[in-house]
Amino acid sequence: MFSSELKKGSTELLLLSLLEARPRHGYEIGKLIEARSGGKLQFKIPSLYPTLSRLEERGLISGRWVEEPGQRRRRFYRLTKQGSAALGEKRATWHEYVATVNLVIEPEGA
Amino acid sequence: MFSSELKKGSTELLLLSLLEARPRHGYEIGKLIEARSGGKLQFKIPSLYPTLSRLEERGLISGRWVEEPGQRRRRFYRLTKQGSAALGEKRATWHEYVATVNLVIEPEGA
DNA sequence: AGTATACATATCGTGACGCGATATATCCAA
DNA sequence: TTGGATATATCGCGTCACGATATGTATACT
């Protein structure tokens, strides 16, 4: 639906946002983005894993393997304290960016 | 101010928008983005030229050299009919994308 | 006269990152 | 038993703003 270029700046914000309420694993995050957006916003789920790894490397999220009977092993990520702070900043930056772009692109005399 | 990743999807939209009112040259567009955004949104002006070339290749804008006495030659771009249509679509897509992301990232229970 | 600054365009290599493809593996339903 | 949903991992690719660099003109200050 939306070009990958458009998505580029906001993927991390999306992932962090969805980990705010509770820990989730990669696949679940991918499906949740699709569900919450009414199918409009979709990611190739395999492409989320490198992003999750990156966020973990930077200490914004922390993952642990969970094995439950009758389920294959899943890696649940939770938001760290740093991640929570980063999320706040990213949300603010996002809203400011949107407002700024809107200011520039609005038709003359609008 | 804003990360280059965030800007990636919306640069073309910005350029096309600023050519809507009247033809402009690259340097002028760069300065206008900065001015209209109150300095918040800036591009390295040299990085705009490849984007303008790309838009011209695709037939969305059309450039012509203008030489005036006492001024170095400047290339003025105007929006083509196709460019005008593309601008409309890009604006709509942008607003829809923003609304969709906002839907997904809003804090639980907000 | 010399020098800095704004104006104006061009090109090249780099880095970031979502995509597409592919691989692997488990569980459940038809 | 075959297909689809679940679940994670990796690799190469394409796109595009950036940074650096280059070139050249006009204006203003010293």
Side-chain angles (χ1 to χ4, degrees):
Chain A
M1 175 91 212
F2 298 111
S3 80
S4 71
E5 294 307 318
L6 204 48
K7 289 155 137 183
K8 242 159 216 178
S10 33
T11 305
E12 290 189 2
L13 169 60
L14 289 164
L15 301 196
L16 294 176
S17 293
L18 293 181
L19 293 177
E20 196 176 28
R22 61 177 179 77
R24 300 183 200 270
H25 56 91
Y27 187 86
E28 188 187 0
I29 294 173
K31 288 295 168 185
L32 195 54
I33 289 175
E34 197 174 331
R36 281 216 199 169
S37 68
K40 280 185 194 167
L41 187 53
Q42 293 179 13
F43 284 85
K44 296 294 155 182
I45 292 184
S47 79
L48 296 179
Y49 295 106
T51 307
L52 288 168
S53 303
R54 212 186 310 132
L55 290 172
E56 188 173 22
E57 255 173 52
R58 283 197 255 135
L60 304 187
I61 62 178
S62 163
R64 72 184 177 89
W65 285 105
V66 174
E67 312 217 26
E68 281 177 90
Q71 301 231 287
R72 67 163 293 180
R73 62 207 287 261
R74 296 178 296 186
R75 191 160 172 85
F76 281 77
Y77 292 96
R78 67 169 180 80
L79 207 57
T80 63
K81 196 166 287 190
Q82 287 171 65
S84 182
L87 172 56
E89 282 167 36
K90 276 171 187 291
R91 265 208 266 251
T93 300
W94 164 254
H95 290 303
E96 193 178 355
Y97 179 66
V98 169
T100 304
V101 168
N102 284 340
L103 199 62
V104 176
I105 68 167
E106 76 187 1
E108 217 93 346
Chain B
M1 173 91 214
F2 299 111
S3 79
S4 71
E5 296 306 318
L6 204 49
K7 289 154 135 184
K8 242 162 215 173
S10 33
T11 306
E12 291 189 2
L13 169 60
L14 289 163
L15 301 196
L16 293 176
S17 292
L18 294 182
L19 293 178
E20 197 177 26
R22 60 176 179 79
R24 301 183 199 270
H25 56 90
Y27 186 86
E28 187 187 359
I29 294 173
K31 287 296 168 184
L32 196 54
I33 290 175
E34 197 175 330
R36 281 217 199 169
S37 68
K40 282 186 192 167
L41 187 53
Q42 293 180 13
F43 284 84
K44 297 292 156 184
I45 292 183
S47 78
L48 297 179
Y49 295 106
T51 306
L52 289 169
S53 302
R54 211 186 310 133
L55 291 171
E56 188 172 25
E57 256 174 49
R58 284 198 255 137
L60 304 186
I61 62 178
S62 163
R64 74 184 174 87
W65 287 106
V66 175
E67 312 218 25
E68 281 177 89
Q71 302 232 287
R72 70 164 289 182
R73 63 207 285 261
R74 297 178 294 186
R75 192 160 171 84
F76 281 78
Y77 292 96
R78 65 170 181 81
L79 208 57
T80 63
K81 197 167 288 189
Q82 289 171 64
S84 182
L87 171 57
E89 283 167 37
K90 276 173 186 290
R91 266 208 266 249
T93 300
W94 163 254
H95 290 304
E96 194 178 354
Y97 179 65
V98 169
T100 304
V101 169
N102 285 340
L103 200 61
V104 177
I105 67 167
E106 76 187 2
E108 217 93 344

